[in-house]
Coordinates of all heavy atoms in Angstrom, one line a residue:
L11 N 75.2 105.0 74.3 CA 75.4 103.6 74.0 C 74.2 103.2 73.1 O 73.1 103.2 73.5 CB 75.4 102.7 75.2 CG 76.5 103.0 76.2 CD1 76.4 102.2 77.4 CD2 77.9 102.8 75.6
S15 N 71.4 96.0 74.2 CA 70.2 95.8 75.0 C 70.6 95.3 76.4 O 71.6 94.5 76.5 CB 69.2 94.8 74.3 OG 69.9 93.5 74.1
D29 N 52.4 68.2 82.2 CA 52.4 66.9 82.8 C 51.3 66.1 82.0 O 50.2 66.5 81.8 CB 52.0 66.9 84.3 CG 52.4 65.6 85.0 OD1 52.5 64.6 84.2 OD2 52.5 65.6 86.2
Q32 N 46.8 64.2 84.6 CA 46.2 65.3 85.4 C 46.0 64.8 86.8 O 45.5 63.7 87.0 CB 44.9 65.7 84.7 CG 45.0 66.3 83.3 CD 45.6 67.7 83.4 OE1 45.6 68.3 84.4 NE2 46.2 68.1 82.3
K42 N 56.9 79.5 104.3 CA 57.8 80.3 105.2 C 58.3 81.5 104.4 O 58.7 81.3 103.3 CB 58.9 79.5 105.8 CG 58.4 78.4 106.8 CD 59.6 77.7 107.4 CE 59.2 76.7 108.4 NZ 60.4 76.0 109.0
A76 N 83.8 92.9 76.7 CA 82.4 92.9 77.1 C 81.9 94.3 77.3 O 81.1 94.6 78.2 CB 82.2 92.1 78.3
H79 N 79.3 97.9 72.2 CA 79.7 98.7 71.2 C 78.7 98.8 70.1 O 77.8 97.9 70.0 CB 81.0 98.2 70.5 CG 82.2 98.4 71.3 ND1 82.4 97.9 72.6 CD2 83.4 99.0 71.1 CE1 83.6 98.2 73.1 NE2 84.2 98.9 72.1
D88 N 71.4 93.4 62.1 CA 70.5 94.2 62.9 C 70.8 94.2 64.4 O 70.1 95.0 65.1 CB 69.0 93.7 62.7 CG 68.6 93.9 61.2 OD1 69.1 94.9 60.6 OD2 67.9 93.0 60.7
T111 N 109.6 116.9 61.6 CA 110.3 118.2 61.6 C 109.3 119.3 61.1 O 108.7 119.1 60.1 CB 111.5 118.2 60.7 OG1 112.5 117.3 61.2 CG2 112.2 119.6 60.8
D135 N 81.9 104.7 68.6 CA 81.1 104.4 69.8 C 81.6 105.0 71.0 O 80.9 105.0 72.1 CB 81.0 102.9 70.0 CG 82.4 102.3 70.4 OD1 83.3 102.2 69.5 OD2 82.6 102.0 71.5
N141 N 85.0 121.4 74.3 CA 86.1 122.4 73.9 C 86.4 122.3 72.4 O 87.6 122.5 72.0 CB 87.3 122.1 74.7 CG 87.0 122.3 76.2 OD1 86.3 123.2 76.6 ND2 87.6 121.5 77.0
D153 N 109.3 119.6 76.6 CA 110.4 120.1 75.8 C 111.7 119.3 76.2 O 111.7 118.4 77.0 CB 110.6 121.6 75.9 CG 110.8 122.0 77.4 OD1 111.3 121.2 78.2 OD2 110.6 123.2 77.7
P165 N 91.6 123.4 83.3 CA 91.0 122.1 83.7 C 89.8 122.3 84.6 O 89.0 121.3 84.8 CB 92.1 121.4 84.4 CG 93.0 122.4 84.9 CD 93.0 123.5 83.9
D213 N 84.0 105.7 79.5 CA 83.0 104.9 80.2 C 83.8 103.9 81.1 O 83.3 103.5 82.2 CB 82.0 104.2 79.3 CG 82.7 103.4 78.2 OD1 83.9 103.6 78.0 OD2 82.0 102.7 77.5
P221 N 89.5 96.5 85.8 CA 90.8 96.8 86.4 C 91.5 97.9 85.7 O 91.0 98.3 84.6 CB 91.6 95.5 86.3 CG 91.0 94.8 85.1 CD 89.5 95.2 85.1
L233 N 105.0 110.7 83.2 CA 103.8 111.0 82.4 C 102.6 110.6 83.3 O 101.6 111.3 83.3 CB 103.8 110.2 81.1 CG 102.5 110.2 80.3 CD1 102.2 111.7 79.9 CD2 102.6 109.3 79.1
Q239 N 98.2 115.1 87.9 CA 98.3 116.5 88.3 C 97.5 117.4 87.5 O 96.9 118.4 88.0 CB 99.8 116.9 88.3 CG 100.7 116.4 89.4 CD 102.1 116.9 89.3 OE1 102.5 117.5 88.3 NE2 102.8 116.7 90.4
Y242 N 93.6 114.5 84.8 CA 93.1 113.5 83.8 C 92.8 112.2 84.4 O 92.3 111.3 83.7 CB 94.1 113.3 82.7 CG 94.1 114.4 81.6 CD1 94.8 115.6 81.8 CD2 93.4 114.2 80.5 CE1 94.7 116.6 80.8 CE2 93.3 115.2 79.5 CZ 94.0 116.4 79.7 OH 94.0 117.4 78.7
D275 N 97.0 125.1 50.5 CA 96.5 124.3 49.5 C 95.8 123.0 50.0 O 94.8 122.6 49.5 CB 97.7 123.8 48.6 CG 98.2 125.0 47.8 OD1 97.5 126.0 47.6 OD2 99.3 124.9 47.2
E280 N 90.1 119.8 47.0 CA 88.8 119.3 46.7 C 88.5 118.1 47.5 O 89.4 117.4 48.0 CB 88.7 119.0 45.2 CG 88.9 120.2 44.3 CD 88.7 119.8 42.8 OE1 88.5 118.6 42.6 OE2 88.8 120.7 42.0
P294 N 89.4 120.2 58.3 CA 89.0 120.8 59.6 C 90.1 120.8 60.6 O 90.2 121.8 61.4 CB 87.8 120.0 60.0 CG 87.2 119.4 58.8 CD 88.4 119.1 58.0
R329 N 87.3 141.0 62.4 CA 88.3 141.4 63.3 C 88.8 140.1 64.0 O 88.0 139.4 64.6 CB 87.9 142.4 64.4 CG 89.0 142.7 65.4 CD 88.7 143.8 66.3 NE 89.9 144.1 67.1 CZ 90.0 145.1 68.0 NH1 89.0 146.0 68.1 NH2 91.0 145.3 68.7
D337 N 92.6 130.6 74.3 CA 93.9 130.9 73.6 C 93.7 130.6 72.1 O 94.6 129.9 71.6 CB 95.1 130.2 74.2 CG 95.5 130.9 75.5 OD1 95.2 132.1 75.7 OD2 96.0 130.2 76.4
H374 N 95.1 144.0 59.7 CA 93.8 144.5 59.7 C 93.8 145.9 58.9 O 92.8 146.1 58.2 CB 93.3 144.8 61.1 CG 92.9 143.6 61.8 ND1 93.8 142.8 62.6 CD2 91.7 142.9 61.9 CE1 93.1 141.8 63.1 NE2 91.9 141.8 62.7
Q381 N 94.5 149.7 51.5 CA 95.7 150.6 51.4 C 96.9 149.8 51.9 O 96.8 148.9 52.8 CB 95.5 151.9 52.1 CG 94.3 152.7 51.7 CD 94.4 153.2 50.3 OE1 95.5 153.6 49.8 NE2 93.3 153.1 49.6
R384 N 104.6 151.0 52.7 CA 105.9 150.4 53.1 C 105.8 148.8 53.3 O 106.6 148.3 54.0 CB 106.5 151.1 54.3 CG 106.8 152.5 54.0 CD 107.5 153.2 55.2 NE 107.7 154.6 54.9 CZ 108.8 155.1 54.3 NH1 109.8 154.2 53.9 NH2 109.0 156.4 54.2
W411 N 94.9 158.4 57.5 CA 93.6 158.3 58.3 C 93.1 159.7 58.6 O 91.9 159.9 58.6 CB 93.9 157.6 59.6 CG 92.6 157.3 60.4 CD1 92.4 157.8 61.7 CD2 91.5 156.6 60.0 NE1 91.2 157.4 62.1 CE2 90.6 156.6 61.1 CE3 91.1 156.0 58.9 CZ2 89.3 156.1 61.1 CZ3 89.8 155.4 58.8 CH2 89.0 155.4 59.9
E412 N 93.9 160.7 58.8 CA 93.5 162.0 59.1 C 92.7 162.6 57.9 O 91.7 163.3 58.0 CB 94.7 162.9 59.4 CG 94.3 164.3 59.8 CD 93.6 164.4 61.2 OE1 93.8 163.5 62.0 OE2 92.8 165.4 61.4

Side-chain angles (χ1 to χ4, degrees):
L11 298 178
S15 59
D29 197 341
Q32 297 288 338
K42 291 184 179 180
H79 285 61
D88 296 325
T111 299
D135 66 284
N141 299 320
D153 62 22
D213 51 349
L233 175 60
Q239 286 183 345
Y242 278 85
D275 290 344
E280 294 183 2
R329 179 170 184 175
D337 284 333
H374 284 94
Q381 303 294 320
R384 297 183 181 273
W411 186 241
E412 186 67 25

